[in-house]
Amino acid sequence: MHCINTKGDRLDRFLSQELPDLSRSRIQQLIEQGNVQLNDKVCTSKKINVKLGDRITLEIPEAQPLELLAEDIPLDILYEDDQLLILNKPAGLVVHPAPGHPDGTLVNALLAHCPNLPGIGGVQRPGIVHRLDKDTTGAIAIAKTDIAHHHLQAQLKAKTARREYLGVVYGAPKTESGTIDLPIGRHPQDRKKMAIISVEQGGRSAVTHWQVLERLGNFTLIHFQLETGRTHQIRVHSSKMGHPIVGDRVYSSGHSVGVNLPGQALHAWRLKLQHPLSGELIEVTATPPAHFTKLLEMLKRRTVL
């Protein structure tokens, strides 16, 4: 129990100052779930002002049991300390469990690697800060503490974290670089797809910066930088630009290029973020997978010929 002995403040702000081990979002969640009492009465308003003499009781429920199995799936670790983990995700690995993918996911692998993860960031997605599509490879950050989870999510929201991708697209863009600023939302007919949807119709702002790295005949290697992180963002924006990602079975015609690709030729190449505690800049580069490298080599040979 805490007694207020200073001037008034918002309930959630006061508790986050008193309990530095809990993130502000976690405290707000506890308030909304009825785990906070103000003067012996349950208080579910995070905005209420507390004042001198108020008594606050906070009950932290036991972590919900995670009905997921820890699985010994090999992880390609690029960076790890006691706060976060950055991995190079292979193609074919789903990030978190969902209908049709109850196990064999990155979360199952993480539970084996980090036994304390279940309480971080919610039951179904412990530690997951951002995601990569099943067949998109490359760097993905995982929070190992509640503070790290909150801090990394805030960096993504504030656009201070930098996510850079490499992608091979069909065709040859007319310019060397550009920015695609088109909102993205769920496709109105096909709920498994995303589409360009106006904000008025429920789309969310989506901004992708791109730059040509190498022209390879009727294909192009492009460097993408995300300003926002919508589902399938690069894939939808590339398709809208008239240059879909090679191997994308959802957003392109998907005609064969002569290399056996597991999916779209899109790789999360570089990730830059601030360490949640030290503030130090962490920059990791994920080596592209063999199928991506093989595709580039084959297209270069074709171009020379």
Side-chain angles (χ1 to χ4, degrees):
M1 181 163 66
H2 296 263
C3 286
I4 310 295
N5 54 17
T6 58
K7 63 180 183 179
D9 202 350
R10 262 177 58 145
L11 177 60
D12 60 341
R13 193 177 296 128
F14 170 78
L15 286 174
S16 66
Q17 290 167 352
E18 292 293 310
L19 302 165
D21 289 341
L22 293 177
S23 70
R24 181 91 166 266
S25 60
R26 176 63 172 146
I27 285 170
Q28 290 173 343
Q29 184 184 53
L30 290 168
I31 294 170
E32 290 164 4
Q33 291 173 347
N35 293 298
V36 175
Q37 291 188 9
L38 177 60
N39 297 325
D40 303 320
K41 291 184 180 179
V42 173
C43 178
T44 56
S45 171
K46 63 189 178 186
K47 295 182 179 179
I48 195 168
N49 278 331
V50 292
K51 56 188 184 300
L52 191 67
D54 281 343
R55 294 187 313 280
I56 300 173
T57 306
L58 170 65
E59 181 182 345
I60 301 177
E62 289 187 22
Q64 217 176 322
L66 193 66
E67 295 179 5
L68 294 171
L69 292 175
E71 296 181 57
D72 189 14
I73 299 170
L75 296 173
D76 181 2
I77 297 172
L78 303 174
Y79 176 92
E80 183 174 18
D81 62 19
D82 58 354
Q83 292 294 317
L84 74 150
L85 180 66
I86 302 177
L87 307 169
N88 187 358
K89 187 186 88 65
L93 184 63
V94 176
V95 171
H96 50 71
H101 294 284
D103 49 32
T105 71
L106 178 58
V107 163
N108 297 103
L110 290 170
L111 292 175
H113 184 74
C114 311
N116 297 325
L117 211 58
I120 309 301
V123 171
Q124 288 301 313
R125 304 180 182 189
I128 302 299
V129 180
H130 61 115
R131 60 186 292 274
L132 295 176
D133 298 333
K134 175 187 173 186
D135 292 324
T136 297
T137 56
I140 182 169
I142 310 295
K144 293 171 73 173
T145 68
D146 202 40
I147 290 294
H149 193 266
H150 175 70
H151 198 284
L152 294 173
Q153 282 193 324
Q155 288 185 53
L156 291 171
K157 190 173 181 180
K159 303 181 177 67
T160 52
R162 187 177 175 122
R163 286 167 291 169
E164 301 174 52
Y165 289 69
L166 298 177
V168 181
V169 305
Y170 292 105
K174 291 184 174 64
T175 58
E176 292 302 305
S177 62
T179 294
I180 307 164
D181 185 351
L182 292 169
I184 290 175
R186 190 67 60 183
H187 194 287
Q189 279 82 45
D190 187 345
R191 304 302 292 172
K192 292 182 179 179
K193 292 176 66 173
M194 306 301 287
I196 304 299
I197 304 288
S198 69
V199 173
E200 293 75 22
Q201 292 180 308
R204 299 175 69 193
S205 168
V207 181
T208 306
H209 305 286
W210 62 271
Q211 182 174 3
V212 170
L213 288 184
E214 193 169 1
R215 295 182 181 273
L216 302 160
N218 198 36
F219 298 87
T220 308
L221 174 63
I222 290 186
H223 171 263
F224 295 97
Q225 185 182 327
L226 288 182
E227 195 170 304
T228 53
R230 308 300 174 215
T231 301
H232 298 180
Q233 179 172 320
I234 292 175
R235 297 165 64 189
V236 172
H237 276 174
S238 295
S239 181
K240 182 67 177 178
M241 190 169 66
H243 301 290
I245 302 290
V246 169
D248 192 333
R249 300 180 181 97
V250 178
Y251 300 104
S252 79
S253 58
H255 55 269
S256 175
V257 289
V259 172
N260 188 20
L261 298 172
Q264 61 274 0
L266 184 62
H267 176 71
W269 176 53
R270 188 178 286 156
L271 181 61
K272 297 179 185 176
L273 47 84
Q274 266 192 325
H275 191 275
L277 293 187
S278 69
E280 175 189 358
L281 179 67
I282 297 172
E283 179 180 327
V284 297
T285 301
T287 303
H291 65 261
F292 193 98
T293 306
K294 186 177 178 182
L295 172 65
L296 285 177
E297 289 172 351
M298 187 204 69
L299 293 176
K300 286 176 186 177
R301 284 199 304 270
R302 279 190 195 170
T303 306
V304 171
L305 293 173

